[in-house]
Amino acid sequence: LGPDAPVTDLITLTRHTLSEQRRHASASGDLTLLLVSLQLSCKYVSSLVRRAGLANVTGLAGGGPNIQGEKVQRLDVLANEVFMNSLRTSGRAAVLVSEEDENAFFVTAAPEGSPDADSRPGRYVVCFDPLDGSSNIDCGVSIGSIFGIYRLPEGSDGTSLERDVLRPGTELMAAGYALYGSFTGLVLATGDGVNGYTLDPSLGEFILTHPSMRIPSRGNIYSINEGNASKWGPAVTRWVNHCKFPEAPTADAEGKPLAGLDEATLKVTHPLRPAGSLAVRADEHDNHGTRKPRSLRYVGSMVADVHRTFLHGGVFAYPADRSSPNGKLRILYEVLPMAFLCEQAGGRCTTGLKRALAIRPDKLHARTGIFLGSALDVAEVERMYQDEENAK
Ligand code: P6P
């Protein structure tokens, strides 16, 4: 049929997950079934998001009563209901933690004949943000859903918040996010690397389009809300200045003084360049020997900023600051799933002082600051935090 014939051997997310699970003898297929529920949720939310603006136009949303006379709920509340119902009835979830709900939901077997008779507890704990960045919907900015999956600890009956839910990201067995942007994508890791899928709306299937995603080790983008600059600590300020006014190269990555740099290059200074910035590698400079300033890209929707970082490299940052000493992003259903995906794709994710994946949340909606992205760029941030600690 020739090279431009349509693909007839479609690798759908379900088929791909099954083939990945076959590599683990102990796999029961339960995770695949749980992921089928999560896929359905993301497809449904995608369709809701795509219709949201239209619904507003036809008066079916925006608070006014719809044709059934009932108040149309906000999109993130609807998205939450979709995730909760799909996971509760999957028969694979023991505990559900949602950004929208104050408390965890422990799945129990409802009696036959009761309205939620399909509720069946399983062996997985799912922490999710059903619609992250929902404040961006009305202006058409990309938003997303984020989820992290733990298996119940051996011998656990899935009733304890402390033992079953408040766990470090190192115990995650899978994580993913859906991106509702110019396309609907789903990025997923189940322990053997990261794969990206794109929704084919005509089929209603997520098709494998980005196998074995890897975050570039360095990138030329930094992503942070500069409006918070007055609240940053010294290390964040130093790192952002380093991105904007990079130091002329005086040493290579191993710290060995670079030979042959002309005096003019070494003297290149900028009034705002902080003293003692880190030397950066000569191979990252324009032909005048100075590193090109990085570009600032900040969407203000975590899934969009993280997805761009996965594809183009650089660092997405939401650091702790004076007004938010624990940062803004929530540990269980924003930071840990993204940190898991980041490390599975060869990247690095830190609070500045600590590996993000090692954090154990003390409360369901606990927050932390993070820097996520290209391993070598994030390592620069950690060095600056360490310098700040050493200077104390
Ligand atoms: P700011 C969205 O509300 C969100 O939780 C993340 O998706 C996003 O990264 C962050 O907040 C943006 O916060 O303070 O920059 O508007």
Side-chain angles (χ1 to χ4, degrees):
L1 288 177
D4 53 2
V7 172
T8 56
D9 183 18
L10 292 176
I11 302 183
T12 63
L13 195 161
T14 301
R15 168 181 159 186
H16 196 228
T17 314
L18 277 173
S19 64
E20 301 250 310
Q21 291 308 306
R22 267 198 293 277
R23 296 217 294 258
H24 301 273
S26 61
S28 60
D30 277 356
L31 179 64
T32 300
L33 283 172
L34 185 73
L35 290 172
V36 166
S37 289
L38 282 165
Q39 277 189 73
L40 172 69
S41 305
C42 295
K43 290 177 196 174
Y44 190 127
V45 171
S46 176
S47 72
L48 286 175
V49 166
R50 307 277 173 221
R51 289 200 309 255
L54 190 60
N56 275 320
V57 164
T58 55
L60 288 182
N66 66 12
I67 41 178
Q68 291 84 12
E70 70 219 359
K71 189 172 175 352
V72 177
Q73 295 168 316
R74 290 180 308 136
L75 211 44
D76 40 13
V77 174
L78 282 178
N80 187 45
E81 286 181 12
V82 169
F83 270 80
M84 291 298 284
N85 289 331
S86 172
L87 288 166
R88 183 172 50 77
T89 57
S90 71
R92 297 309 181 279
V95 192
L96 300 176
V97 174
S98 169
E99 190 263 352
E100 287 290 328
D101 297 328
E102 188 181 345
N103 303 310
F105 178 81
F106 293 90
V107 183
T108 55
E112 282 308 315
S114 76
D116 47 5
D118 291 347
S119 260
R120 283 280 173 280
R123 299 294 303 161
Y124 294 104
V125 178
V126 187
C127 304
F128 59 91
D129 187 350
L131 200 54
D132 184 80
S134 49
S135 58
N136 292 300
I137 292 175
D138 60 345
C139 47
V141 168
S142 301
I143 50 181
S145 305
I146 310 169
F147 58 86
I149 301 171
Y150 298 92
R151 272 191 73 81
L152 280 183
E154 282 311 310
S156 160
D157 60 358
T159 56
S160 158
L161 194 69
E162 282 300 319
R163 182 194 54 216
D164 301 330
V165 179
L166 299 180
R167 297 156 71 181
T170 46
E171 293 181 17
L172 280 167
M173 66 163 303
Y177 61 80
L179 172 69
Y180 312 113
S182 55
F183 59 90
T184 293
L186 197 148
V187 172
L188 176 70
T190 57
D192 299 320
V194 178
N195 294 296
Y197 307 82
T198 304
L199 181 65
D200 178 333
S202 65
L203 298 176
E205 287 285 2
F206 281 104
I207 307 297
L208 178 67
T209 49
H210 295 72
S212 305
M213 292 172 70
R214 302 294 289 173
I215 301 180
S217 62
R218 278 194 182 282
N220 203 37
I221 292 172
Y222 73 104
S223 181
I224 191 168
N225 184 342
E226 289 244 10
N228 294 330
S230 61
K231 299 178 278 188
W232 294 336
V236 183
T237 304
R238 185 174 162 212
W239 174 68
V240 170
N241 279 328
H242 177 65
C243 294
K244 295 159 82 167
F245 311 104
E247 185 66 356
T250 54
D252 64 17
E254 284 69 46
K256 279 199 294 296
L258 287 173
L261 283 174
D262 63 68
E263 281 309 305
T265 304
L266 288 174
K267 285 201 177 55
V268 167
T269 60
H270 187 286
L272 285 176
R273 177 180 290 133
S277 287
L278 285 180
V280 287
R281 293 163 42 141
D283 61 354
E284 292 206 298
H285 299 78
D286 58 23
N287 50 13
H288 304 297
T290 53
R291 177 166 174 165
K292 299 181 291 294
R294 298 182 208 179
S295 295
L296 171 60
R297 294 284 183 275
Y298 189 73
V299 181
S301 182
M302 184 184 194
V303 173
D305 282 317
V306 167
H307 191 63
R308 183 206 54 249
T309 304
F310 273 39
L311 294 181
H312 301 315
V315 180
F316 165 70
Y318 208 108
D321 61 34
R322 275 193 289 279
S323 68
S324 317
N326 294 317
K328 172 178 185 179
L329 301 177
R330 273 60 57 91
I331 296 172
L332 264 181
Y333 40 78
E334 287 176 314
V335 173
L336 293 184
M338 291 306 200
F340 180 85
L341 287 160
C342 176
E343 292 197 3
Q344 287 278 311
R348 209 175 162 90
C349 185
T350 179
T351 64
L353 289 171
K354 176 177 182 183
R355 180 189 179 203
L357 207 59
I359 298 173
R360 174 194 299 272
D362 55 0
K363 293 191 299 296
L364 215 52
H365 302 288
R367 301 167 187 261
T368 186
I370 63 163
F371 296 81
L372 172 150
S374 295
L376 294 178
D377 290 346
V378 172
E380 270 178 352
V381 179
E382 290 172 309
R383 282 207 297 278
M384 293 186 185
Y385 267 81
Q386 204 48 61
D387 287 352
E388 185 185 337
E389 287 302 294
N390 298 343
K392 283 179 180 170

